Amino acid sequence: MRLDKSVFDCRQVWEAKGWALPAFDVNAMRERTASAPFWIHFGAGNIFRAFHAAVAQRLLDKGALDRGIIVAEGYDYEIIERMYRTRDNVGALVTLRADGSIGKQIIGSIAEALTVCPDNTADWTRLKEIFRSPSLQLATFTITEKGYLLHTSGGAALPGVDDDLSLGPVAPKSYMGKIVALLHERYAAGGALPLALVSTDNCSHNGDKLLSAVVSFAEAWEKNGVCKPGFPAYVKDKARVAFPWTMIDKITPRPEGGVERLLREDGIEDLEPVVTAKNTYVAPFVNAEECEYLVIEDSFPNGRPPLDAAGIYFSDRETVDKVERMKVCTCLNPLHTCLAVFGCLLGYKLISEEMNDNDLRRLVEVLGYKEGLPVVVNPGILSPEKFLDEVVNIRIPNPFMPDTPQRIACDTSQKLPIRFGETIKAYLRRDDLSVSDLRVIPLIYAGWLRYLLAVDDEGNTFELSPDPLLSDVCRYVAPLKLGSSDAEAVETAVAPLLRRADIFGTDLYEAGLAGQVIEYLARMIKGKGAVRLTIKNI
């Protein structure tokens, strides 16, 4: 038993072991897709296989689609060459449910897998052919927020961008340059051929980020005379090219060893993961949680497939924004960050295990239900209370989801202003609420400062997770000594940091929370066990 097209020749063997196989003719689907492509996805990683490809498969199984999805990878070509092509674009999705059951599915909805590489003549020619096709309705993206950037935070151009901006769409090197070159191919083929470019990356107002990058290239190319006249007007015309906002939510950790063992017990061979030269970790299977959400602004100038039949929500832009704010500011992300900070300090290795700790569970329940819900942004199409119930009772405690506090703790300085600062601002705007009622949010701020000392609650050192501001923020806590509880010394050290609205979302002195943060931090540096004791007494 091997994960490739041989699966379809021994269907009964796989089904006898509990695997769900495609209910459609995979070869016929691939032939129809080749002649009339309608959906291409950029970014061949785990989230694509666990979500986008699975959605396409559900629709194909129902008969709601007769063509599949094409995947293209423009950053790490080895994913395509070493994982997709060696497996005939066939893979496995293992759904890890909170009740202990496991769903096993063979994914056969991927019609083609291509590298977005102008030097690969065959793939580049095929991509241009796809973009010239009038049948193409949407291109979706999971290329990470960094994929839309043209410059580093220091202002320098990212590799390939400057050359791409000046030389045009002939042989671009940067990821975004390649995307815009393909869009230019579509413009050159028909002038008015419509298309939706749909970012499904987990970042705020993702459609605008993609639009900004595309327009930057189009305008530079027209200015330098290296593209067809009118190309910028084409990409900025919403009736022809749309950039919908979306909110995506599905936890898809890296392939897990326990899942690999389960597949081997079924008799499946050759499951070894691949670690590429660019340090991408991929395997013939993906494991993911059962819960998933995708809300998309309904803006598709060339029509769209019936994704709503597979559980996708379509709405207006304002609703997408509200759903994102509900998730990021109240119902999921703040709880994750709380568990990440205190999980590192209390020695936990799995987020799910923290929910068996009564002290930590109480923290996230107070954070979500008592401090967050009073000011939650209600999107209407989803119930914040039910969403939060699912997060607290199903998603985070899921013992089969191997997510770690150390991973979630990455880039915390970038997360605090949105995940907690927005709630503080909402309290400040309300006459019927007071920031003095907040207990857990200032505790998390203090906990993060305590975390920056890189010493856990038992006095053991640990490695801080990557964060672009690590060296900057650590200097504020460096003077603090464990075993001391001098609140005045604590304030002297961290007061300038607490005034930084770029980190906390607001000046904590002006918000009236600085004193509470300092008090909590002073308690947590008293010595061994002080973090736990502070949490207990909150």
Side-chain angles (χ1 to χ4, degrees), residues 174-196:
S174 67
Y175 205 145
M176 195 49 57
K178 299 168 193 172
I179 299 298
V180 183
L182 292 171
L183 187 58
H184 182 264
E185 189 73 25
R186 187 169 183 80
Y187 174 67
L193 288 177
L195 185 65

Side-chain angles (χ1 to χ4, degrees), residues 77-86 274-277:
Y77 306 141
E78 282 188 79
I79 299 174
I80 299 295
E81 295 160 353
R82 298 179 63 187
M83 191 53 63
Y84 283 81
R85 287 178 176 161
T86 59
V274 167
V275 181
T276 71

Side-chain angles (χ1 to χ4, degrees), residues 362-374:
R362 181 172 60 89
L363 271 191
V364 297
E365 287 177 348
V366 172
L367 174 63
Y369 290 103
K370 293 188 177 180
E371 297 188 0
L373 280 185

Side-chain angles (χ1 to χ4, degrees), residues 33-44 69-75 77 80-81 85 110-141 143 169-189 193 195 197:
T33 306
S35 60
F38 76 102
W39 183 2
I40 186 168
H41 181 88
F42 291 91
I69 188 169
I70 299 168
V71 65
E73 174 58 43
Y75 171 72
Y77 306 141
I80 299 295
E81 295 160 353
R85 287 178 176 161
I110 303 169
E112 297 178 66
L114 304 164
T115 60
V116 192
C117 177
D119 294 333
N120 184 325
T121 303
D123 282 11
W124 190 244
T125 298
R126 175 57 180 154
L127 283 166
K128 291 194 290 184
E129 181 181 72
I130 290 167
F131 268 77
R132 287 195 300 266
S133 174
S135 62
L136 187 65
Q137 294 179 314
L138 72 160
T140 50
F141 299 81
I143 60 176
V170 177
K173 300 298 182 185
S174 67
Y175 205 145
M176 195 49 57
K178 299 168 193 172
I179 299 298
V180 183
L182 292 171
L183 187 58
H184 182 264
E185 189 73 25
R186 187 169 183 80
Y187 174 67
L193 288 177
L195 185 65
L197 300 183

Side-chain angles (χ1 to χ4, degrees), residues 38-39 59 64-65 137-138 300 303-309 314:
F38 76 102
W39 183 2
L59 294 173
L65 291 180
Q137 294 179 314
L138 72 160
F300 291 81
R304 59 169 173 80
L307 302 179
D308 44 343
F314 288 97

Side-chain angles (χ1 to χ4, degrees), residues 493-511:
V494 303
L497 181 57
L498 299 184
R499 291 193 177 278
R500 289 185 58 172
D502 62 316
I503 291 177
F504 296 105
T506 184
D507 181 323
L508 294 182
Y509 279 93
E510 293 181 1

Side-chain angles (χ1 to χ4, degrees), residues 484-498:
S484 169
S485 60
D486 185 347
E488 185 175 342
V490 170
E491 180 167 20
T492 299
V494 303
L497 181 57
L498 299 184

Side-chain angles (χ1 to χ4, degrees), residues 185-442:
E185 189 73 25
R186 187 169 183 80
Y187 174 67
L193 288 177
L195 185 65
L197 300 183
V198 188
S199 168
T200 56
D201 278 296
N202 189 20
C203 54
S204 179
H205 302 170
N206 44 21
D208 283 354
K209 288 179 170 61
L210 178 55
L211 169 63
S212 177
V214 169
V215 169
S216 294
F217 276 94
E219 290 182 340
W221 288 351
E222 186 174 65
K223 179 180 179 181
N224 294 324
V226 292
C227 71
K228 283 191 169 294
F231 182 50
Y234 168 69
V235 301
K236 289 187 284 187
D237 183 351
K238 294 180 181 179
R240 291 190 289 176
V241 183
F243 296 84
W245 289 8
T246 71
M247 190 289 294
I248 189 169
D249 183 19
K250 187 177 182 72
I251 300 173
T252 310
R254 67 188 297 178
E256 205 266 328
V259 175
E260 182 180 336
R261 289 191 293 274
L262 182 149
L263 270 59
R264 290 189 186 281
E265 290 172 3
D266 275 353
I268 305 175
E269 303 171 352
D270 194 18
L271 290 170
E272 290 75 17
V274 167
V275 181
T276 71
K278 291 188 175 181
N279 205 35
T280 304
Y281 188 104
V282 291
F285 64 93
V286 289
N287 41 251
E289 67 169 340
E290 60 195 291
C291 302
E292 63 184 27
Y293 296 92
L294 179 55
V295 184
I296 306 178
E297 178 189 357
D298 199 355
S299 180
F300 291 81
N302 201 29
R304 59 169 173 80
L307 302 179
D308 44 343
I312 307 302
Y313 295 86
F314 288 97
S315 66
D316 56 26
R317 176 168 290 199
E318 182 181 4
T319 302
V320 174
D321 192 40
K322 287 180 178 179
V323 172
E324 184 197 17
R325 289 174 62 83
M326 178 197 75
K327 171 201 163 193
V328 173
C329 301
T330 307
C331 294
L332 175 60
N333 299 60
L335 281 62
H336 257 158
T337 294
C338 175
L339 292 171
V341 168
F342 289 113
C344 291
L345 288 170
L346 297 178
Y348 281 98
K349 299 302 180 184
L350 287 174
I351 289 285
S352 59
E353 290 179 353
E354 294 185 66
M355 293 300 282
N356 296 321
D357 183 318
N358 290 334
D359 294 330
L360 295 181
R361 186 179 183 97
R362 181 172 60 89
L363 271 191
V364 297
E365 287 177 348
V366 172
L367 174 63
Y369 290 103
K370 293 188 177 180
E371 297 188 0
L373 280 185
V375 294
V376 72
V377 176
N378 191 331
I381 63 171
L382 294 173
S383 163
E385 291 85 358
K386 290 181 180 178
F387 188 95
L388 183 57
D389 287 343
E390 186 178 63
V391 167
V392 172
N393 298 313
I394 298 176
R395 301 181 68 182
I396 297 179
N398 187 339
F400 296 99
M401 292 304 297
D403 222 342
T404 69
Q406 291 73 26
R407 187 188 78 84
I408 301 295
C410 292
D411 304 331
T412 300
S413 70
Q414 311 297 292
K415 300 170 180 176
L416 295 176
I418 299 298
R419 299 187 179 188
F420 306 104
E422 292 303 308
T423 296
I424 294 171
K425 292 175 186 176
Y427 270 73
L428 291 171
R429 289 193 296 266
R430 293 271 293 268
D431 293 332
D432 59 330
L433 296 171
S434 172
V435 293
S436 63
D437 295 328
L438 297 175
R439 290 289 181 269
V440 175
I441 289 178

